[in-house]
Amino acid sequence: MASSPTFDALLSKIEARSARAGIIGLGYVGLPLAMAIARSGFPVTGFDIDPGKIVSIEARRSYIDAVTSADLATQINVGRFSATTDFAALKDCDVIVICVPTPLTKHRDPDLSFVEATSHAIAAHLRAGQLIVLESTTYPGTTDDIVKVILEKTGLRSGKDFFVGFSPEREDPGNQHFHTATIPKVVAGDGAEALTLMTSFYGAAVKTVVPVSSNATAEAVKLTENIFRSVNIALVNELKTVYAAMGIDVWEVIDAAKTKPFGYMPFYPGPGLGGHCIPIDPFYLTWKSREYELPTRFIELAGEINSAMPRYVVGKLAEALDIRAGKALSRSRVLVLGLAYKKNVADIRESPSLRLIELIEERGGKADYHDPHVAEIPPTREYQALKGRKSISLDNLAGYDAVLIATDHDGIDYGALAMNAPLIIDTRNVFARQGLQGDHIVKA
C-alpha cells in the first residue's frame, strides 16, 4: 500500500531536520528534551504557561540542573531554540511533544487536566502534516482515547491528516552517567506511518530507539519501570521496620546480600518516596485496572508502605528524643537536612521532607530545614503553608534538639554534624557509610 503524501512530506522534513519541533511544558522533562532535539539540528520552539520560565530562558538562565545556562545560551544564540507562552505558534510546528504534569487527585485518581487542556490547545491550531507526541506518564489508553479523540474533533483524522505517538520520558535528575540523548527511547505510534515518524524523529536526537507495537504498550512500559522500583523500595522499607525490631541493621544486610553476583539487585530504604514518577505512576495503573475488575493488591500495598514511611521516621525521631534527650517532640526543635527528594538536585516534587516537616509540626514540634540546593520552599499544591520558608545555615546547631537526615547531599560536612548535633536521625545511612559512629546517631 502506497504511503500518503502527508506522511511523505513530514518524513522528508524530519529526515532533513528542517521540521520544527514544539515542546509543550519546559520543566524537568521538556527543557532537557528541547536541548537534545535542538543539538541534533532541529529548530525548536518551547511552550509554557509560566511566563517566569520564558523570562529565564530569554535571559539565557537555566532553572533545570540537567541543562546548563551555557548550553541553553548556545542553542538560543545559533537560532535553534526559542520559547513563548503564545500557543498560536503551534501552527508553525511540524512535531509537537507534550511534556506536562500528570499528578494525582487527593483521592489518588489520575489528574489528566493538564494533558486534556494541552490537547485542546493543540487542536485549536492543528493542521495537516503534524506529528503529535505525548511523553507525560499515564495509564495505557490515554494517547489513543483522550489525546487522539480531542484532536479528531477538529475533523482531521489520525493516520491520514496528522499522526499521533507516545514516548515515555526517562529523565533521572542528578544522574551524571546518563542524559536525554544517551537513555534508550521507547517509541510507539497510532499506525505504521506514525511509528516510522516517531522512530525517525527521536532517532535523530537519541542514541538508541526502541519501537513497540502500540501507544498503550509504550504507556505500560513506563508504568512497569516505576512500579518495579516502587515495589522493591517498599520491600526494603518493610524489611527495615522488621529488622529494626529485631536489632538488625537493614543496610548491613543489603550490603552483604548485594555481593551475590546473580539473582539479587540492591534497593535501599528511606524516609519515603519522592519525585514525580515513583510515588504517583503506580496509581495510574491501579485506577485503570478497576475498569477491568482486576485488583492490583501488590502495587497498592507497596504504595501504602512507602506512604507510611514519613510517619514511621517521625515516630523514631520522637522515640529517640524521649529516650536519649528526655524531651518530648512537642517541645523540640528539629532541623531537617535535605528538602530535595534525592541527593545533589534541587527537585522537591513529592519530596518526603515536606511531609516530615508537616508531621513534626502537627505533633507540636518546630521544624526548619537546610538544603544547599533549595534556598526557599516554592509554592506546592499540597504544602502551601510551607511556602517561602528559607534554608537554615548549618553554622549554628546549638538551637536544635535533633537533626533529621532526609536527603544525603554530597558536600555536607557530616563529620562536623556528628560532632556538633546533640541527636541525629539518619534515614539514609550516610554516617555509617562515612565511618562516623556515636550513641547519638540513630538509624531510622
Side-chain angles (χ1 to χ4, degrees), residues 273-337:
L273 290 182
H276 180 65
C277 293
I278 302 176
I280 293 175
D281 296 352
F283 292 102
Y284 269 70
L285 185 62
T286 63
W287 180 87
K288 185 64 175 178
S289 70
R290 295 173 201 154
E291 179 181 328
Y292 299 89
E293 298 182 354
L294 292 172
T296 51
R297 292 189 295 270
F298 208 67
I299 299 170
E300 293 182 55
L301 179 59
E304 291 173 11
I305 293 170
N306 290 326
S307 296
M309 281 301 106
R311 193 173 294 278
Y312 170 82
V313 168
V314 172
K316 296 288 284 187
L317 166 66
E319 179 184 272
L321 281 166
D322 179 31
I323 295 174
R324 297 168 187 266
K327 195 169 185 180
L329 177 56
S330 61
R331 295 185 292 107
S332 300
R333 294 189 68 206
V334 180
L335 182 65
V336 176
L337 196 151

Side-chain angles (χ1 to χ4, degrees), residues 175-307:
N175 191 321
Q176 302 300 314
H177 303 289
F178 296 98
H179 53 83
T180 305
T182 60
I183 301 170
K185 202 83 169 78
V186 174
V187 299
D190 180 29
E193 291 185 342
L195 180 57
T196 297
L197 293 171
M198 291 284 290
T199 303
S200 181
F201 174 67
Y202 281 104
V206 177
K207 185 176 180 180
T208 304
V209 174
V210 183
V212 296
S213 60
S214 68
N215 289 328
T217 299
E219 290 161 338
V221 167
K222 175 63 175 179
L223 293 183
T224 300
E225 293 169 0
N226 288 328
I227 289 168
F228 172 79
R229 286 185 54 77
S230 174
V231 167
N232 280 281
I233 291 170
L235 174 62
V236 293
N237 274 330
E238 186 167 67
L239 289 175
K240 173 180 71 175
T241 65
V242 174
Y243 289 154
M246 297 177 178
I248 298 170
D249 185 337
V250 69
W251 284 277
E252 182 182 2
V253 171
I254 293 169
D255 285 344
K258 73 181 184 183
T259 62
K260 184 180 180 181
F262 51 88
Y264 182 81
M265 178 183 294
F267 286 82
Y268 296 92
L273 290 182
H276 180 65
C277 293
I278 302 176
I280 293 175
D281 296 352
F283 292 102
Y284 269 70
L285 185 62
T286 63
W287 180 87
K288 185 64 175 178
S289 70
R290 295 173 201 154
E291 179 181 328
Y292 299 89
E293 298 182 354
L294 292 172
T296 51
R297 292 189 295 270
F298 208 67
I299 299 170
E300 293 182 55
L301 179 59
E304 291 173 11
I305 293 170
N306 290 326
S307 296

